[in-house]
Amino acid sequence: MEEKMEKIVVDPDFYSMVTGYDMDDLQSDTTSIASAIARGRLENGRRYQAIKEDDYWGPSDEQQFEAFEIGHMVFLVLDHEQPNPLFRAPIGKSPKNILDIGTGQGSWAIDVADRYPSATVRGVDIFPPPVLWMPPNCIFEVDDVLREWTWREPFDFIHMRLLYGAFAPDGWDTLYKQAYDALEPGGWIEQMELDVRVYSDDGSLKKEHQLYGWGDMFIRCSERAGRSLRTHETMRSAIEKAGFVDVHEEKYKIPLGPWPRDTTLKEAGHIQYAHWNAALEGWAMWLLTHFGEPVPWKKEEVHVFLAKVRAELKNPHIHAYEPANRVWARKPTKEELKAREAIIKIETSP
């Protein structure tokens, strides 16, 4: 039975914000490191990774790194009351090796390295993060995680966040298998993904709004690109298929704006509004100019569309939110693996 989530209550004082939101205080600067890989390839004024033969829909440039940083803040606010707002997996107090796949700008890996000085934390991505400083136990690497992994030490914990659309279905199967094989028995995997579709509980998001069909349109674009954006729907079953056990799942509603009455959701919504404003063009440009409907769009058409979306984001009378899912699971212990092998042997014996 599908879990029902509580409706988000609108703050009645919020309607006084007739001019919408202001994000002047949410701007931040990022700095990129200079190298051949870091220069990437340029398209429609955005920079994309250049180490893989196939294209990835998300850009890797200063503007998108800023969006990554703001998105990191959203998740910290949502879970600020948790003993550990960075993840849920119970990895203990002294992990030795942690891997962050798709590390982006590296904030999660840096925060975890600070929290667990006993651990070596590796952040890996197809583009180098724009960091000028990191803890001594934090390492960033540029690599394609679908290739054979060469790390020698097994991991206690493998983390992924916002990798929707990163891989084709067979790529996801490869990734989860490699993660399973690379973990210590009893080690944990965790993944956090957004649903790209937007909803409202009170009917304030209507069919005539651009946001109403936003997610479904991009899901169709991504499926034509062979990289589905429905990762939040498939990750749990794929993790289970890879052999993980003790599977847990938590669902979220992330407001697009500070309209909720609840103070935590209000703050998360304020930051998520900034996240969307920083990330919108990066989310839309490649998919719409390559796989838009009914035909690929021109850059100028994307800009006009996004201007309409931004106007709706500023409208305090639209109480929209974006769902998100967190899944964490454990690799079986040595004892559990032996028991599983014994059962398989009995079931397959003549």
Side-chain angles (χ1 to χ4, degrees), residues 31-175:
T31 305
S32 177
I33 62 178
S35 69
I37 294 176
R39 285 194 295 272
R41 58 181 179 81
L42 296 178
E43 183 178 316
N44 291 318
R46 302 304 299 267
R47 183 182 61 197
Y48 297 81
Q49 66 84 21
I51 73 164
K52 294 186 68 173
E53 295 179 357
D54 57 336
D55 291 336
Y56 173 55
W57 64 271
S60 298
D61 54 20
E62 286 76 10
Q63 183 175 342
Q64 211 65 15
F65 283 130
E66 177 183 351
F68 292 156
E69 178 63 29
I70 300 172
H72 179 61
M73 293 169 59
V74 170
F75 296 119
L76 291 180
V77 169
L78 283 172
D79 287 323
H80 78 280
E81 294 182 347
Q82 294 290 332
N84 180 354
L86 292 164
F87 56 86
R88 287 286 190 281
I91 65 172
K93 296 182 179 180
S94 301
K96 295 180 180 179
N97 290 288
I98 296 174
L99 178 65
D100 183 32
I101 297 176
T103 197
Q105 88 293 3
S107 295
W108 186 92
I110 290 172
D111 286 354
V112 171
D114 276 337
R115 188 180 184 97
Y116 296 96
S118 66
T120 297
V121 180
R122 297 181 182 275
V124 62
D125 212 318
I126 55 176
F127 199 91
V131 294
L132 299 178
W133 177 89
M134 67 195 76
N137 60 325
C138 185
I139 301 169
F140 290 115
E141 301 177 9
V142 176
D143 204 351
D144 178 1
V145 293
L146 295 188
R147 296 175 181 170
E148 183 179 357
W149 291 12
T150 57
W151 296 296
R152 296 182 179 180
E153 296 295 325
F155 294 101
D156 303 289
F157 181 38
I158 295 177
H159 172 265
M160 294 177 278
R161 187 174 68 189
L162 301 187
L163 290 183
Y164 46 17
F167 311 111
D170 58 342
W172 279 112
D173 290 340
T174 297
L175 178 60

Side-chain angles (χ1 to χ4, degrees), residues 41-44 46-49 53-59 165 218 221-227 279-292 296-297 299 302 306:
R41 58 181 179 81
L42 296 178
E43 183 178 316
N44 291 318
R46 302 304 299 267
R47 183 182 61 197
Y48 297 81
Q49 66 84 21
E53 295 179 357
D54 57 336
D55 291 336
Y56 173 55
W57 64 271
F218 281 107
C221 290
S222 70
E223 289 174 350
R224 287 192 288 273
R227 297 169 175 263
L280 276 176
E281 184 182 282
W283 290 340
M285 185 60 72
W286 190 87
L287 282 170
L288 289 178
T289 55
H290 285 261
F291 296 97
W297 297 19
K299 177 178 69 173
V302 177
L306 294 181

